[in-house]
Amino acid sequence: MSTEDVLDILGIDAADRDGCRTLLAERSDDPAVLEAIASIQRSFGSFNEIPVRETTQEELVWLTAYLLLTPTVVAWHRENDIPERVMRDTLADVGRHVAISRRVTGEFSLQTWRWLLHHFTVRIFALGRLQFALQRATLSVPDVFAAGDWVLAVHIPESGPLTPAVVDASLAEAKRFFPEHFPERPVRVVTCDSWMLDPFLLERTTPTSNIGAFIRRFTPIGHFSVGHTDALYFVFRTRDLDLVPSLPRETSLQRAVIERLELGQSWEVHWGYLVL
């Protein structure tokens, strides 16, 4: 597979292509890169039952590893009869995140390298508007699922409106896709852990809004953790609290994120589920 084929499959923007080419030319034999690749390969295909050992925090080491591993990941998708569209939509998340990092930092980088471990250990799939990671549950809900059961953790990429129709289509595709391709890992539950499930946001959205309709699909589990700046980052792509007074307040979501922070409160990451 040529370098340009790799960059096309990963959806790398024109502004980031020279940076990727330089990484491949100059860092392919870097011991830190080779160690990161080995760590990914130990987890490859285990659906995180073998967690990836984070051998470094240097983001461009991981990006170089991803570029080098792309042919292996593409081959796995094709050998497992994953539709070409699903493979390409899944891996295009790399280019999306490199572009987001450039937008946030002003330079070629990959702040979210850890997130992309999902893609290069082949346990996440983009099915329409949503992404689904096949993994073991860590929590339990009586009569619904137990810790250790296979579940689908849903994620929302930055890619257009989250209308009820596109969410319905993604959930319907997931219900078909996973039994067809991974029958040995049966799933019937979709889980979500997100600041979007924080009751504060629920109180400030209506069932007819896209966000309101989405979060009302999930039954709360009653488990949460503090994610103080998570909402700030995902809505405004910054974690700098000093910028809050100058941020736009054009949408109800923007206003809700700012309101909570101006109240001196922390956003919380809540867990919920729905049954397919």
Side-chain angles (χ1 to χ4, degrees):
M1 183 179 293
S2 72
T3 294
E4 297 312 304
D5 287 340
V6 167
L7 300 183
D8 287 344
I9 286 171
L10 298 183
I12 303 296
D13 283 0
D16 296 314
R17 292 202 168 204
D18 281 345
C20 290
R21 293 185 188 107
T22 298
L23 289 180
L24 286 170
E26 298 180 356
R27 303 196 67 171
S28 291
D29 295 328
D30 184 331
V33 171
L34 298 179
E35 189 176 14
I37 289 173
S39 182
I40 292 169
Q41 289 177 325
R42 280 191 292 272
S43 180
F44 193 89
S46 77
F47 296 91
N48 207 41
E49 293 199 276
I50 303 172
V52 175
R53 184 170 64 89
E54 295 179 5
T55 55
T56 179
Q57 301 296 304
E58 188 182 345
E59 57 198 50
L60 292 183
V61 165
W62 292 102
L63 178 53
T64 308
Y66 298 153
L67 292 167
L68 292 169
L69 281 169
T70 296
T72 300
V73 173
V74 169
W76 182 92
H77 278 257
R78 290 173 176 165
E79 289 165 5
N80 286 274
D81 297 320
I82 305 301
E84 190 80 2
R85 170 187 59 83
V86 173
M87 180 270 287
R88 288 182 176 273
D89 287 351
T90 300
L91 293 180
D93 211 22
V94 178
R96 180 185 297 118
H97 280 267
V98 174
I100 289 170
S101 290
R102 174 167 40 82
R103 191 167 81 232
V104 170
T105 67
E107 59 188 27
F108 178 66
S109 59
L110 184 58
Q111 290 186 312
T112 49
W113 61 266
R114 184 178 286 107
W115 161 247
L116 292 168
L117 290 170
H118 287 73
H119 305 59
F120 287 87
T121 55
V122 295
R123 68 185 181 98
I124 195 167
F125 303 90
L127 303 175
R129 180 65 180 85
L130 303 175
Q131 300 166 327
F132 299 89
L134 181 57
Q135 61 191 46
R136 296 282 193 184
T138 57
L139 301 173
S140 298
V141 175
D143 301 321
V144 182
F145 65 92
D149 286 353
W150 291 103
V151 295
L152 299 175
V154 68
H155 301 275
I156 309 165
E158 185 181 284
S159 62
L162 192 66
T163 65
V166 297
V167 174
D168 285 342
S170 285
L171 291 172
E173 188 170 358
K175 191 172 183 177
R176 295 189 301 268
F177 177 87
F178 288 96
E180 177 182 349
H181 295 283
F182 306 104
E184 73 283 7
R185 297 178 174 88
V187 290
R188 59 184 291 268
V189 170
V190 174
T191 63
C192 182
D193 56 290
S194 173
W195 61 272
M196 290 173 61
L197 299 188
D198 189 319
F200 185 89
L201 184 58
L202 184 65
E203 294 168 0
R204 284 156 180 78
T205 59
T206 66
T208 56
S209 69
N210 287 344
I211 296 295
F214 180 79
I215 61 183
R216 284 170 173 81
R217 292 174 185 265
F218 294 90
T219 300
I221 292 175
H223 178 84
F224 72 92
S225 61
V226 174
H228 186 44
T229 59
D230 282 13
L232 187 65
Y233 182 78
F234 286 104
V235 174
F236 297 104
R237 293 302 179 186
T238 181
R239 293 188 186 272
D240 187 349
L241 293 169
D242 291 336
L243 294 178
V244 168
S246 63
L247 293 174
R249 305 170 191 235
E250 298 168 359
T251 69
S252 58
L253 181 59
Q254 290 174 340
R255 291 190 292 273
V257 170
I258 291 171
E259 179 188 351
R260 181 149 215 196
L261 294 171
E262 288 185 335
L263 289 171
Q265 300 174 359
S266 288
W267 279 92
E268 298 167 349
V269 175
H270 283 251
W271 271 251
Y273 74 91
L274 62 81
V275 177
L276 283 174

